[in-house]
Amino acid sequence: MLRAQIASPLAPPPAGNPIITSADLESDAAILRKAYEGLHPGIYRYSSKAEMDAKFDALQKSLAHDLSLPDAYIAFSVFAAQEKCGHTHANFFNQKKGVATALFRGRNRVPFYFRWLDQEIVVTRDFTPNHQLPRGTRVLSINGTPVRAILDRFMTVARADGANDAKRIAYLEVSGDSVYEALDVYFPLFFPQESVAMQLVAQRPGEASPQTLAVEALTFEQRIAPIKQREAGRKGGDDLVFDWKYLGDGTAYQRTPTWALYNSRWDWKTWLNARLDEIAEKNSPALVVDLRGNEGGSDIGGEILKRLVRNDLKVSAYRRLVRYRQTPAELDPCLDTRDPSFKNWGTAAAELEQAWPTAPLGQYFALTRYDDASGNLIRPVGKPFRGKFYVLIDANNSSATFQFAQTVQQNKLGTLIGQPTGGNQRGINGGEFFFLRPPKTQIEMDLPLIGNFPSSPQPDAGLAPVSSSPPLCRTSSKGRT
């Protein structure tokens, strides 16, 4: 599907919304441009310098008049999406409390979870009090706007790497996997309404024709109620996050809905290695790791890879590159980060012996900080697993899970089953981040610091599976058995 052009004009600001002056907006846009042009490793991966110059100029032009905070947030989001980097966005989770409260916690959430299938909304869970939208209902329009037009509008802010529109569409589904989901955030911004009532045209399973249905929008609190307890367990708690079970023939099945466990007290590494020891001792015939719906996080897959290799394995011909050794002093006040040392890589950003063949225009340095002294190796650790290995994938896999699936596929360590992944074979940006907060709007923009670049040209696409259906176990499209 072709990506939609920038939607225009933006909706009028809601009553009581603070107005940001054009001078302040343009000042923040200039800071964003300096930071991205100087620090972003993938800024020219999919666009030439002339094309990016035109996009920066278009952003500046869109900010040439006073805007409300929601309109400013949309303008920055549209620009970030044009970078075609799945890790470059006005991150919902990194906004300051005041910005998040103003933008993300209003009403007007659609009262259902859904997936996009052939550019149509298909309900997967109904939250209407009288169960008007049973699973499988096709929603054709919302408040008079056809859902295909809604999808086109949202594609202007959907983040993904390169031409991977399957990832963009998956990003725009509502599944209950996160407190903030893109469509929940952007729907009230693109389609503001004062009434809590929504009018849907929908066709329910078994009905011959579509019906017009009146439903009530959900509040933020109603939306997050089903997942609040689970999120509390993951963030700062010690609740189990992964599922593990044995199927009838002894095959082990593991579902990992997220690898973003940075703030969890759960000792996932000990838990996972105990189970990997167990299947090695049992000689289980196969291990199925279900990554569907999992964008990424920590390198949890690395623990599994160590059990699959027999000897040291040098992985991929991708190289970690950065655009800078030290950040410009004038940007430092705007760059939040988890580790201040990212502002000065020092000798860890080494001069390239020669130009890297797929690195785009501009100066790059080879980042050696995280690589093994002998190269990027997977070394066997613990009891080896000798059964068959399957990975269930979908378009959500676009960060650490994409890299894990790519390592499995490139080195023939297992079989990928499901749908094409997110991410991109041309390489992705990420690893570490600055949280860029321009001083006037305070709209945070994620700025990835490390770019992975292949040694030879690769397709502008995600990874393709060998099959669309798991051979060993029957699971739902969202990964629950």
Side-chain angles (χ1 to χ4, degrees), residues 46-89:
Y46 298 105
S47 301
S48 68
K49 186 175 188 308
E51 290 169 333
M52 282 307 305
D53 285 346
K55 292 171 184 176
F56 279 115
D57 292 344
L59 172 64
Q60 199 82 18
K61 185 176 180 181
S62 73
L63 303 176
H65 53 279
D66 298 353
L67 292 176
S68 67
L69 179 63
D71 285 355
Y73 184 81
I74 290 173
F76 281 112
S77 296
V78 168
F79 168 78
Q82 293 178 329
E83 172 62 20
K84 299 181 182 179
C85 165
H87 289 84
T88 298
H89 58 129

Side-chain angles (χ1 to χ4, degrees), residues 416-429:
L416 305 185
I417 307 291
Q419 300 171 319
T421 66
N424 203 288
Q425 294 181 60
R426 289 190 182 179
I428 59 178
N429 314 302

Side-chain angles (χ1 to χ4, degrees), residues 144-307:
T145 303
V147 296
R148 294 192 180 199
I150 291 172
L151 178 60
D152 285 345
R153 187 76 180 269
F154 287 133
M155 288 290 278
T156 65
V157 293
R159 59 183 177 89
D161 293 284
N164 199 330
D165 276 350
K167 165 61 181 178
R168 292 183 174 89
I169 292 171
Y171 173 68
L172 296 171
E173 296 175 341
V174 178
S175 63
D177 288 336
S178 179
V179 169
Y180 295 131
E181 298 190 73
L183 189 129
D184 276 345
V185 167
Y186 287 110
F187 193 89
L189 301 182
F190 279 129
F191 302 100
Q193 63 180 68
E194 293 184 7
S195 170
V196 301
M198 283 186 169
Q199 187 179 80
L200 309 181
V201 175
Q203 186 162 0
R204 293 176 286 208
E207 293 185 343
S209 58
Q211 306 292 323
T212 299
L213 305 172
V215 300
E216 190 169 302
L218 298 184
T219 64
F220 172 74
E221 290 75 17
Q222 288 171 321
R223 170 65 85 211
I224 68 170
I227 60 174
K228 197 171 184 180
Q229 183 176 1
R230 184 200 69 204
E231 289 297 310
R234 288 181 183 174
K235 295 181 179 179
D238 54 6
D239 289 3
L240 233 65
V241 178
F242 303 158
D243 297 327
W244 185 280
K245 66 168 69 174
Y246 288 99
L247 307 180
D249 66 346
T251 290
Y253 168 83
Q254 180 194 20
R255 180 171 185 266
T256 60
T258 181
W259 286 358
L261 302 178
Y262 314 108
N263 297 320
S264 174
R265 292 197 302 265
W266 178 48
D267 186 359
W268 65 264
K269 188 175 290 188
T270 298
W271 181 93
L272 177 57
N273 277 292
R275 276 141 192 85
L276 294 172
D277 285 342
E278 186 175 87
I279 60 172
E281 291 169 355
K282 287 184 173 182
N283 290 318
S284 294
L287 169 62
V288 178
V289 173
D290 192 344
L291 297 181
R292 290 173 296 177
N294 183 343
E295 188 169 68
S298 301
D299 183 21
I300 289 170
E303 295 301 306
I304 299 171
L305 295 175
K306 295 171 186 176
R307 305 302 189 101

